[in-house]
């Protein structure tokens, strides 16, 4: 059976290999090579649910290095979050988040993935709260950018929170992008222009130029709006 499973795997008969290796795993749950082949088969099939169920066995039997296990674990839970929407419901997304190991709830990449999905679904309050807590724990530029997109009900209070971060991160282009986005959402267009121009002066980036174009449109400056959009597109093409 071991030989059969290996030959099926090498022949790219992944579904057949999965059936053979699953049966082997049931008969010999401690067999490291079976576990390794089963993991590789799940990865090839992008069967993230099956691989998530296998992770405790992979960890318990030390099938791979700790770094490789962390890499696989991160991939599994990131993909499960991405799979939950748009085909699934918001409840499925939350279930995918809540079912992952608690230590991963502090992983910046997974927080960004989850918060981004919440924002897409209009759950700004939940995303804002999560991002504020994560940023307070450890500064990550990508989380700060997302904070500017997570429009909570109390947008003015959210803007004040972001302003407070300038004390320790006054040179962050991501922070000024977030401030510009929030100010624009709050109706403070002139303030938004200042923040966004500061962001692109620190580091030209397509998102800030896009928001800057929106701000110039808001004040009726079509020429500068088009120039901002064009600069953003030029960065995207690099």
């Amino acid at each position: 059976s071991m030989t059969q499973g290996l030959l099926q795997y090498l022949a790219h008969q992944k579904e057949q290999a999965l059936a053979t290796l699953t049966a082997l795993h049931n008969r010999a749950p401690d067999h490291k090579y079976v576990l390794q082949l089963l993991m590789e088969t799940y990865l090839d099939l992008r069967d993230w649910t099956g691989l998530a169920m296998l992770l405790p066995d992979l960890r318990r039997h030390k099938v791979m290095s700790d770094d490789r296990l962390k890499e696989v674990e991160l991939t599994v839970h990131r993909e499960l979050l991405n799979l939950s929407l748009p085909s699934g419901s918001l409840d499925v997304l939350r279930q995918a988040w809540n079912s992952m190991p608690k230590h991963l709830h502090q992983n910046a990449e997974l927080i960004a993935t989850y918060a981004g999905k919440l924002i897409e679904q209009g759950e700004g309050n939940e995303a804002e709260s999560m991002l504020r807590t994560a940023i307070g724990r450890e500064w990550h530029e990508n989380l700060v950018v997302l904070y500017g997109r997570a429009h909570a009900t109390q947008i003015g209070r959210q803007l004040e929170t972001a302003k407070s971060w300038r004390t320790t991160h006054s040179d962050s282009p991501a922070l000024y992008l977030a401030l510009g986005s929030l100010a624009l959402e709050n109706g403070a267009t002139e303030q938004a222009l200042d923040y966004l121009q500061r962001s692109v002066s620190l580091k030209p980036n397509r998102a800030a130029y896009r928001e800057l174009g929106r701000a110039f449109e808001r004040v009726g400056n079509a020429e500068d709006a088009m120039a901002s959009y064009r600069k953003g597109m030029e960065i995207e093409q690099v």
Side-chain angles (χ1 to χ4, degrees):
S1 295
M2 185 71 253
T3 302
Q4 181 184 14
L6 177 59
L7 290 175
Q8 288 169 334
Y9 176 82
L10 293 175
H12 303 289
Q13 298 171 349
K14 300 302 167 63
E15 288 81 3
Q16 295 93 322
L18 179 61
T20 301
L21 293 168
T22 299
L24 273 171
H25 179 52
N26 290 335
R27 289 163 50 192
D30 299 340
H31 198 297
K32 287 188 177 182
Y33 192 51
V34 172
L35 285 167
Q36 183 179 352
L37 271 181
L38 196 51
M39 178 197 73
E40 298 295 345
T41 305
Y42 277 132
L43 283 170
D44 288 346
L45 289 171
R46 299 180 65 81
D47 185 342
W48 309 117
T49 302
L51 188 47
M53 295 175 64
L54 191 66
L55 282 170
D57 286 342
L58 297 174
R59 178 177 289 105
R60 182 167 55 253
H61 296 296
K62 301 185 183 302
V63 174
M64 65 196 84
S65 69
D66 288 342
D67 287 343
R68 175 58 175 157
L69 181 62
K70 289 176 183 177
E71 179 186 338
V72 171
E73 184 178 52
L74 184 62
T75 298
V76 166
H77 291 291
R78 182 182 62 242
E79 294 296 336
L80 286 173
L81 287 173
N82 283 323
L83 279 175
S84 61
L85 291 169
S87 58
S89 67
L90 193 58
D91 288 340
V92 175
L93 174 64
R94 289 188 176 121
Q95 183 180 357
W97 174 260
N98 291 328
S99 64
M100 70 174 60
K102 296 303 179 185
H103 71 272
L104 291 179
H105 284 182
Q106 296 188 13
N107 180 278
E109 182 180 350
L110 293 178
I111 291 170
T113 301
Y114 183 54
K117 294 292 184 182
L118 288 173
I119 292 168
E120 290 173 12
Q121 295 299 303
E123 297 295 321
N125 287 333
E126 186 176 347
E128 187 276 336
S129 177
M130 166 175 281
L131 290 166
R132 174 164 35 85
T133 300
I135 293 166
R137 184 170 56 241
E138 185 176 0
W139 185 266
H140 289 276
E141 295 278 286
N142 61 328
L143 297 185
V144 175
V145 172
L146 277 172
Y147 190 79
R149 291 174 44 207
H151 299 154
T153 304
Q154 300 293 330
I155 195 74
R157 185 179 300 173
Q158 186 179 353
L159 180 57
E160 291 303 315
T161 296
K163 285 180 181 179
S164 71
W165 294 334
R166 289 181 298 175
T167 305
T168 51
H169 296 89
S170 60
D171 59 348
S172 167
L175 176 55
Y176 285 100
L177 169 55
L179 285 165
S181 298
L182 292 170
L184 198 58
E185 182 69 16
N186 202 38
T189 309
E190 293 294 340
Q191 191 179 52
L193 283 168
D194 289 341
Y195 288 139
L196 294 166
Q197 287 169 332
R198 173 69 170 157
S199 179
V200 296
S201 70
L202 288 167
K203 181 182 179 181
N205 63 93
R206 69 189 71 162
Y209 273 122
R210 185 172 57 247
E211 290 293 270
L212 192 56
R214 289 181 58 220
F216 277 128
E217 282 187 343
R218 189 79 61 84
V219 297
N221 189 337
E223 183 178 350
D224 283 342
M226 290 302 297
S228 297
Y229 290 136
R230 183 170 60 252
K231 287 177 181 178
M233 291 176 65
E234 288 171 356
I235 291 174
E236 191 170 358
Q237 291 169 359
V238 173

